[in-house]
Amino acid sequence: GIAVDDTIHVLVKYLRYRREGMESLPAMEKTFQETGLALTFTSIILFAGFGILVFTQFKVNMNFGALASSIIALALFADFIILPAVFATSKKSIKGN
């Protein structure tokens, strides 16, 4: 849920700046200046928290920890690499309501 929440924060900030009239690249830069540190810290904390489960002897918890920490790392990668690529290649104009 928190990984999805991070992505939603990025999308909302980006769309807000675009609706205010900023071009895509400056809006993207400002979005990540404001949200990047928080996304990184929450993801690292969650990754470590779930990652510790891989050292347990109970196989189910070990698998869950590996899966959860992998998903969190993938979500952070998507927020910092894939999402900006989507923003940059989007040709659609964003207009205010």
Side-chain angles (χ1 to χ4, degrees), residues 70-93:
S70 298
I71 289 171
I72 291 166
L74 182 62
L76 184 64
F77 173 80
D79 285 338
F80 280 119
I81 305 299
I82 297 172
L83 204 52
V86 170
F87 292 157
T89 59
S90 176
K91 301 291 185 210
K92 191 173 183 179
S93 175

Side-chain angles (χ1 to χ4, degrees), residues 30-41:
K30 189 162 180 155
T31 296
F32 284 105
Q33 285 174 353
E34 293 182 7
T35 62
L37 196 58
L39 264 66
T40 303
F41 279 135

Side-chain angles (χ1 to χ4, degrees), residues 10-20 31 94:
V10 171
L11 289 171
V12 168
K13 284 273 191 192
Y14 176 76
L15 290 175
R16 180 179 301 148
Y17 292 131
R18 292 287 285 147
R19 286 186 177 130
E20 289 175 358
T31 296
I94 298 172

Side-chain angles (χ1 to χ4, degrees), residues 2-3 11-12 14 20 22-24 30-32 38 41 43 45 47-48 58-60 67 69 74 79 88-89 96-97:
I2 291 178
L11 289 171
V12 168
Y14 176 76
E20 289 175 358
M22 293 179 80
E23 292 295 320
S24 182
K30 189 162 180 155
T31 296
F32 284 105
F41 279 135
S43 296
I45 290 167
F47 179 83
F58 189 50
K59 192 83 167 161
V60 174
L67 179 64
S69 60
L74 182 62
D79 285 338
T89 59
N97 293 333

Side-chain angles (χ1 to χ4, degrees), residues 39-58:
L39 264 66
T40 303
F41 279 135
T42 56
S43 296
I44 288 171
I45 290 167
L46 286 169
F47 179 83
F50 285 112
I52 199 75
L53 291 174
V54 299
F55 299 109
T56 186
Q57 298 297 316
F58 189 50

